[in-house]
Amino acid sequence: MMEYEFDAIVVGSGITGGWAAKELTEAGLKVLMIERGREIVHGDYPREMKAPWELPFRGRGDTQRYKRDHAVQMLNRHFTEWTEDHFVNDRENPYELGADSAFTWFRSYQLGGKSLTWGRQCYRWSDYDFGANARDGMGTDWPIRYADIAPWYDKVERFIGVSGAAEGLAALPDGQFQPPFALNAVEKSVREKVSAQWPDRRLTIGRTANLTQAKEEEGRAPCQSRDICNRGCSFGAYFSTQSSTLPAATKTGRLTVITDAQVEKVDYDPATRRVTGVRWVNTKTRERKSATARIVFLNAGAFNSVHLMINSANEAMPGGLANSSGVLGTHIMDHANTLSAVALMPGFEGRTSFGNRPTGVVIPRFRNLDKADGDGFTRGYSFQGGALQSGWGRGKKQAGIGADFKRDLRGPGAWRMVLVAFAESLPRASNRLTLSKQVDPLGVPQLEIHFAHGAGELAALADAKREAGAMLTAAGGQVLFGMDRPGPGGTAIHEMGGARMGHDPKTSVLNKWSQAHDVANLFVTDGAQMASSACQNPSLTYMALTARAVDHAVGLIKAGAI
Amino acid sequence: MQQLRHKQPTATRREFLAGAAIFALATGLPVPAMAAAPSPRIALLLKTVAQIVIPRSDTPGAGDVGVGAFLSLAFAHGMEGAQGYDLWLDQELNRRAGRDFLALPPAQRVKILGQLDAEAFPAGPPPAVPSPWVAIKALILTGYYTSEAGASKELQYNLIPGRWDADIPLKPGARAYSSDWTAVEFG
């Protein structure tokens, strides 16, 4: 029997890596967590409290440098002079695009990964979602249903802290919520008017991993209503690896963390048909090292976990690690995302709000639930957005100079309501990840992304534009504009798939426990495992599947099976 | 990522002054940043124009709080795509003035800039090719409302509100929050 240095290795420290480390260490395992980016210590967020006038480019950043070093990341609206250190340098982390492909790959390589920069929206999937592939025949059936994951949603929501309002909707199951943030005057009115005209449509507050009540036992304060989360929050008020899972894992005394370590390969022993550990390169010193473990969890982020599996091809598995099916890298997805409507909302001129709410609103999916009512599409979409009073930025778009202009911009502007659609992305074999002939600065073959939205997604967004306009008009708004064309792939920052879960080892990479069909001690529990995309923000589901997979893996270890 | 790579054609300073920046505007080609500090004349022009757009009232004006210098930085680094726009502004205002814009009496300057502004923001849908003034004005507003005086005296700045009040009366004359990041972003 081999002597292992660790019981488990977790590759990646983001939303799912942190959860894997927490659950594995709390189960008594000795864990090595490997992160390719730099260390960020909780509370060490140097620009968190900076005023715009304390930054050289007033929060907008150096366009010239951004074009050179962050040509993709700068397209993300969360990428600013305050947050630029929380996103990758594109020049140092290149990727390639396939022919006719568009994909803006937004990445955060650092301890905590994208948990520091995520949008924090937490939505459960329902059986409409887990049953979607079986229903219309696109993709392969999920081997799990809502009942399999519901207790794990409970566990995750309680620990990370999710504020939200219970609504009793079949398409968006309620969770273990902290008290919700309140709707503002316009949103309350829109909720009432939309429900009156469309009883199956419900505007509700966004369910967000921002605390409305302290979690004192974990040292986390309630949200201060700043809405500057992705600078890093020293209050620990939103869920991140740093604020939540890392302290829990560290407390066990069984966690080792290595940063600046890019994993190049997962080692595989064909004799035992098990992975035996990983090898990595120190990105600063270029020193190469390795470690062994009884089990390996891949949590590098959907595309990077797939990338690592492809790069881990070996003599026994020439097409990539755990890829006897040949589907590794295929069926990647990202929600088709666009601004469906912006409307002026007259009648609320005497009302305002105080503070910056860290979430918007959501109108959950209403299409293709119990009846097929999508015009040219079989899945669903949902809206996120909210009502806001415009600020001084409105002056950029209007005529005027001088004293009157200045006076006009002094108060809050007109109320507007914005609805942004997220349409379900269908799993297609042609949307896939391959290895490029180009290599990155460390000599590792780059990832090549092949991606295009399909006709179903476009039809869904056309419907979303019509319906968003209709709802805001019915609510008394004057629609200013709306769009029905999605941004390039990656716009939603919900990239997923590539190592999908399924019943059949011939057509899927992972089984219902996020465990490789081909390799019993290999688990992939980030977005790579997704067999469909639903239209909800996916992180909560990744976390629940991670906790569930750890529970299963620990059971197998205890039983001596792996 | 080839889709985002920007060509950087070279141009000599002489070509620049001969109107390369205007040519680049017309063709959509970016021009290299002028790293050198602006000439005293351009520095004065930018400060003067900023102050006309946001004049002094019970709070400082844009020229008072260094927006001229911010504009120079912004033009040099291509913020709002405005690389080299200071040269365009100088030529355009002189052209409209029929002589040195800065030599005009103050009321004349306001009138000329007002006309430039009105033409850049006509009634109806915005022009397909915006006037360079649109970007310059955006940068003046950015410079002012992100300055300490603009953000926290003309408007209110509160980094840590500490609570969310969803629906409260708007008092007449209330100043907006420059720290309402969503409002600022979506305009």
Side-chain angles (χ1 to χ4, degrees):
Chain A
M1 208 55 193
M2 182 170 169
E3 281 292 313
Y4 295 105
E5 294 163 75
F6 294 92
D7 296 317
I9 290 173
V10 176
V11 181
S13 66
I15 285 178
T16 64
W19 263 96
K22 170 188 177 302
E23 295 293 290
L24 288 163
T25 53
E26 287 181 347
L29 273 62
K30 186 181 163 197
V31 174
L32 172 66
M33 182 162 74
I34 306 178
E35 166 55 48
R36 69 189 296 165
R38 68 193 170 99
E39 182 179 21
I40 293 182
V41 176
H42 186 46
D44 185 19
Y45 307 120
R47 295 183 194 169
E48 178 187 1
M49 303 291 187
K50 292 275 190 223
W53 57 88
E54 295 172 319
L55 298 172
F57 293 89
R58 305 292 181 84
R60 268 65 178 171
D62 181 351
T63 309
Q64 206 170 41
R65 181 166 57 81
Y66 287 176
K67 282 181 175 172
R68 188 184 69 221
D69 292 344
H70 301 279
V72 175
Q73 308 309 305
M74 69 183 287
L75 303 174
N76 179 346
R77 72 179 187 87
H78 301 295
F79 179 88
T80 70
E81 196 170 6
W82 283 284
T83 65
E84 59 180 52
D85 289 348
H86 290 169
F87 292 90
V88 298
N89 179 311
D90 289 301
R91 203 161 38 82
E92 293 170 359
N93 297 280
Y95 64 95
E96 296 291 313
L97 293 175
D100 301 321
S101 293
F103 205 97
T104 48
W105 191 16
F106 299 125
R107 292 166 290 165
S108 296
Y109 293 168
Q110 63 218 359
L111 190 65
K114 282 192 285 190
S115 79
L116 286 174
T117 58
W118 71 310
R120 308 171 306 286
Q121 297 290 297
C122 288
Y123 299 106
R124 292 186 177 208
W125 285 27
S126 75
D127 274 337
Y128 292 112
D129 305 308
F130 290 111
N133 288 0
R135 191 161 83 161
D136 67 13
M138 287 288 291
T140 48
D141 186 24
W142 278 91
I144 58 170
R145 288 296 183 267
Y146 182 68
D148 297 306
I149 195 173
W152 300 100
Y153 278 139
D154 288 343
K155 178 189 173 88
V156 168
E157 287 160 346
R158 285 196 189 102
F159 186 74
I160 70 174
V162 177
S163 62
E167 296 281 0
L169 302 172
L172 199 72
D174 294 330
Q176 305 295 328
F177 296 141
Q178 290 201 347
F181 287 93
L183 301 177
N184 63 37
V186 175
E187 293 158 352
K188 271 189 282 189
S189 168
V190 173
R191 171 183 163 100
E192 285 161 19
K193 286 171 179 157
V194 166
S195 288
Q197 186 156 338
W198 294 275
D200 61 336
R201 301 184 189 181
R202 184 80 48 86
L203 183 154
T204 186
I205 189 69
R207 297 169 179 177
T208 185
N210 292 81
L211 302 182
T212 49
Q213 293 173 335
K215 287 177 74 74
E216 281 169 19
E217 66 279 17
E218 286 132 41
R220 299 180 57 198
C223 177
Q224 302 298 304
S225 295
R226 299 184 299 168
D227 195 22
I228 52 176
C229 308
N230 37 40
R231 299 182 191 180
C233 180
S234 53
F235 296 93
Y238 76 88
F239 167 82
S240 66
T241 295
Q242 272 83 349
S243 73
S244 183
T245 46
L246 183 60
T250 303
K251 200 166 73 179
T252 65
R254 288 185 282 272
L255 179 69
T256 302
V257 180
I258 299 179
T259 54
D260 304 301
Q262 183 176 331
V263 176
E264 296 183 293
K265 201 174 176 68
V266 181
D267 286 326
Y268 176 76
D269 178 3
T272 59
R273 301 183 62 208
R274 302 286 164 87
V275 289
T276 55
V278 306
R279 44 195 69 236
W280 65 88
V281 55
N282 181 303
T283 55
K284 288 183 171 159
T285 65
R286 304 292 164 103
E287 194 181 359
R288 286 183 153 80
K289 288 191 171 177
S290 63
T292 58
R294 183 176 296 277
I295 61 173
V296 173
F297 267 66
L298 298 188
N299 300 93
F303 287 6
N304 282 320
S305 286
V306 170
H307 192 190
L308 178 55
M309 293 171 79
I310 298 174
N311 274 335
S312 298
N314 54 65
E315 259 181 46
M317 297 175 157
L321 184 65
N323 188 25
S324 67
S325 66
V327 301
L328 181 66
T330 68
H331 301 88
I332 58 168
M333 299 162 279
D334 179 58
H335 295 142
N337 189 204
T338 202
L339 176 57
S340 299
V342 180
L344 278 173
M345 304 300 294
F348 302 90
E349 288 71 22
R351 311 305 301 172
T352 190
S353 57
F354 175 81
N356 301 333
R357 195 179 59 188
T359 181
V361 304
V362 60
I363 301 176
R365 173 180 170 183
F366 49 83
R367 284 292 190 227
N368 294 318
L369 296 174
D370 297 323
K371 60 176 189 287
D373 57 358
D375 181 6
F377 60 104
T378 57
R379 305 280 173 104
Y381 59 82
S382 72
F383 293 110
Q384 292 179 25
L388 58 111
Q389 280 168 299
S390 54
W392 59 261
R394 67 186 183 274
K396 295 178 185 177
K397 292 175 232 151
Q398 68 191 48
I401 60 170
D404 290 347
F405 183 62
K406 183 181 181 186
R407 199 174 307 116
D408 182 52
L409 293 180
R410 181 173 262 199
W415 281 98
R416 289 157 196 255
M417 180 98 185
V418 175
L419 291 178
V420 173
F422 290 81
E424 180 156 359
S425 174
L426 291 164
R428 294 185 181 83
S430 55
N431 284 339
R432 65 179 305 181
L433 305 172
T434 59
L435 281 192
S436 162
K437 293 187 178 67
Q438 308 288 326
V439 294
D440 73 11
L442 294 177
V444 178
Q446 290 176 28
L447 204 55
E448 187 163 297
I449 303 175
H450 304 254
F451 188 88
H453 291 298
E457 288 89 326
L458 300 181
L461 290 185
D463 189 59
K465 180 186 175 185
R466 285 191 297 271
E467 296 305 313
M471 287 190 283
L472 294 183
T473 302
Q478 299 158 9
V479 175
L480 299 173
F481 68 94
M483 296 190 281
D484 59 5
R485 308 299 291 183
T491 298
I493 327 182
H494 295 161
E495 71 273 13
M496 63 179 103
R500 68 184 176 190
M501 191 188 273
H503 298 283
D504 186 351
K506 292 194 182 64
T507 58
S508 59
V509 177
L510 306 172
N511 68 15
K512 66 178 179 178
W513 303 109
S514 317
Q515 178 185 22
H517 286 299
D518 298 344
V519 184
N521 64 339
L522 176 67
F523 296 80
V524 184
T525 74
D526 57 22
Q529 67 189 313
M530 305 305 275
S532 73
S533 73
C535 61
Q536 293 94 315
N537 308 53
S539 296
L540 181 74
T541 298
Y542 302 166
M543 288 190 257
L545 290 175
T546 299
R548 182 174 174 271
V550 169
D551 183 66
H552 182 71
V554 169
L556 292 177
I557 289 172
K558 284 185 179 156
I562 56 174
Chain B
M1 298 189 301
Q2 59 279 16
Q3 77 274 21
L4 295 162
R5 223 160 257 157
H6 287 253
K7 287 184 181 172
Q8 295 286 338
T10 54
T12 66
R13 183 163 177 85
R14 193 179 58 77
E15 284 168 337
F16 226 116
L17 296 175
I22 297 160
F23 173 75
L25 286 179
T27 59
L29 288 174
V31 295
M34 302 305 292
S39 67
R41 179 195 157 71
I42 292 288
L44 179 62
L45 177 76
L46 297 179
K47 179 180 176 173
T48 303
V49 168
Q51 188 80 357
I52 293 172
V53 174
I54 304 286
R56 192 178 309 159
S57 56
D58 54 344
T59 61
D64 297 329
V65 299
V67 172
F70 174 73
L71 287 176
S72 288
L73 180 76
F75 294 143
H77 289 261
M79 294 176 75
E80 302 272 354
Q83 219 149 32
Y85 279 22
D86 43 356
L87 301 175
W88 174 86
L89 185 67
D90 189 27
Q91 294 188 9
E92 179 65 16
L93 292 177
N94 290 342
R95 185 184 68 78
R96 287 173 182 254
R99 58 192 179 111
D100 182 357
F101 174 80
L102 288 172
L104 293 178
Q108 281 293 312
R109 295 183 207 156
V110 171
K111 189 177 169 200
I112 285 176
L113 201 61
Q115 285 166 347
L116 173 64
D117 181 78
E119 288 169 27
F121 295 94
V129 179
S131 161
W133 173 248
V134 173
I136 297 170
K137 184 176 182 181
L139 288 167
I140 291 170
L141 298 184
T142 298
Y144 182 65
Y145 291 107
T146 61
S147 72
E148 185 165 11
S152 67
K153 302 288 192 298
E154 173 63 17
L155 305 181
Q156 305 184 68
Y157 180 81
N158 186 343
L159 181 65
I160 310 179
R163 66 177 197 278
W164 164 247
D165 294 336
D167 183 14
I168 56 177
L170 176 64
K171 296 194 180 85
R175 291 173 297 144
Y177 283 92
S178 67
S179 49
D180 183 348
W181 312 105
T182 310
V184 170
E185 184 182 341
F186 288 99

